[in-house]
Amino acid sequence: MYSFDIQRPTSVADAVAALGTDEAQPLGGGQTLIPTLKQRLAAPSVLVSLSAIAEMKGVCTMDDGRLSIGGGTTHATVAAEASSYPALAALAGNIGDPAVRSRGTIGGSLANNDPSACYPAAALASGATIVTNAREIPADDYFQGMFATALDEGEIITEVRFPVPEKGAYMKFEQPASRFALVGVFVAKFSDGVRVAVTGASEDGVFRWSEAEAALSSNFSADAVPAAPSGDGMISDLHGSGAYRAHLVGVMTKRAVAAAS
Ligand SMILES: Cc1cc2nc3c(=O)[nH]c(=O)nc-3n(C[C@H](O)[C@H](O)[C@H](O)COP(=O)(O)OP(=O)(O)OC[C@H]3O[C@@H](n4cnc5c(N)ncnc54)[C@H](O)[C@@H]3O)c2cc1C
């Protein structure tokens, strides 16, 4: 690990100011960033910890019914407090292990946008809004490929707003060593249609499976899930081939619909 200074502001405004300095980087729960630093794959001169910013923590229901989650809220807190959105609470409760869940944050997960992470599927399937210190970004515009997002340098995810569907479920086929998703599918049924988001499978990161969305919007049943997509463009690695992952997309979607029903 290269040496760095650390700052621990107590407000979003102070964090933004601290991130204005050269080569400063936000630190959430450190579950991804600290191992990266240990491997000397990043060398920020300043880490700006977001862990003391009270305004970025907590779960509450907004007047319009959406669930608001502070960007610095840990997975464990979401699992415990997002009871009005059971599928989301269950997803958070199955991330990694207790140590990861007690430190890792929703803002860190969405900023990192790991192609096998769970929260990106929830945000995309729910049509969530990613709120930063500067703007509000619809999930459909936020995810821009593997580890790529719409965030600008120094921009902080302060909050995520989730519309709560009538029915929803997340099913992941776990990579057993890490519990990341080999393939994970989040299905959300709203009054005006169904959204289906897939993580872990595509070389382009999380994506919406439009054929399944159209079929399930007409008939919300596991039997209506279309044939699995092609393995072209799917991740192929030591854990599974692209064709295997494509097959899992179909299987996990059926299981998610069955669980939501
Ligand atoms: C053993 C293990 C198992 C895991 N299993 C899973 C799993 O099953 N499913 C899953 O989804 N994830 C899993 N993870 C990842 C975990 O969810 C991490 O918490 C997450 O990827 C990063 O969140 P963090 O708060 O720790 O961010 P950090 O590691 O602190 O930061 C990650 C990146 O996000 C940036 N950042 C952090 N917070 C913000 C913010 N609020 N705004 C803008 N940028 C920010 C940082 O600068 C950095 O670039 C696992 C991790 C480990 C170590």
Side-chain angles (χ1 to χ4, degrees):
M1 191 184 282
Y2 298 106
S3 64
F4 54 83
D5 291 331
I6 188 155
Q7 296 189 23
R8 202 160 178 256
T10 54
S11 71
V12 171
D14 286 349
V16 171
L19 285 165
T21 58
D22 278 354
E23 294 172 26
Q25 188 170 356
L27 174 68
Q31 296 305 295
T32 298
L33 184 52
I34 295 297
T36 306
L37 298 180
K38 284 182 175 173
Q39 294 171 63
R40 295 192 163 193
L41 296 174
S45 56
V46 180
L47 282 187
V48 179
S49 170
L50 307 176
S51 64
I53 304 178
E55 64 191 287
M56 280 180 55
K57 293 184 182 180
V59 178
C60 70
T61 299
M62 301 170 67
D63 290 343
D64 63 9
R66 286 184 295 174
L67 193 66
S68 163
I69 302 179
T73 308
T74 64
H75 310 326
T77 298
V78 175
E81 297 185 10
S83 52
S84 65
Y85 194 166
L88 185 66
L91 174 151
N94 281 305
I95 289 176
D97 51 44
V100 171
R101 293 195 290 274
S102 70
R103 297 294 305 177
T105 65
I106 187 170
S109 178
L110 292 175
N112 196 48
N113 192 20
D114 186 297
S116 299
C118 302
Y119 272 125
L124 193 56
S126 305
T129 301
I130 289 77
V131 182
T132 76
N133 56 292
R135 57 195 168 134
E136 298 180 9
I137 311 171
D140 283 325
D141 300 331
Y142 177 81
F143 299 103
Q144 301 192 346
M146 199 181 273
F147 295 110
T149 72
L151 290 179
D152 290 329
E153 202 71 32
E155 194 169 4
I156 300 172
I157 297 174
T158 55
E159 181 189 350
V160 189
R161 296 176 183 159
F162 287 90
V164 179
E166 294 169 350
K167 296 177 179 177
Y170 176 65
M171 284 287 149
K172 74 171 163 177
F173 192 88
E174 290 178 0
Q175 200 277 66
S178 70
R179 301 189 69 194
F180 270 103
L182 200 61
V183 167
V185 178
F186 201 112
V187 172
K189 181 183 184 301
F190 293 92
S191 58
D192 59 352
V194 176
R195 293 172 65 109
V196 178
V198 180
T199 188
S202 171
E203 292 170 347
D204 294 328
V206 68
F207 70 96
R208 284 176 67 185
W209 186 15
S210 51
E211 290 85 357
E213 291 184 346
L216 291 167
S217 294
S218 301
N219 174 14
F220 192 71
S221 77
D223 291 341
V225 173
S230 139
D232 293 346
M234 296 289 178
I235 298 167
S236 192
D237 59 18
L238 77 169
H239 302 300
S241 67
Y244 182 58
R245 280 186 163 85
H247 169 72
L248 283 178
V249 172
V251 173
M252 291 299 113
T253 305
K254 286 186 179 184
R255 289 186 187 175
V257 173
S261 302

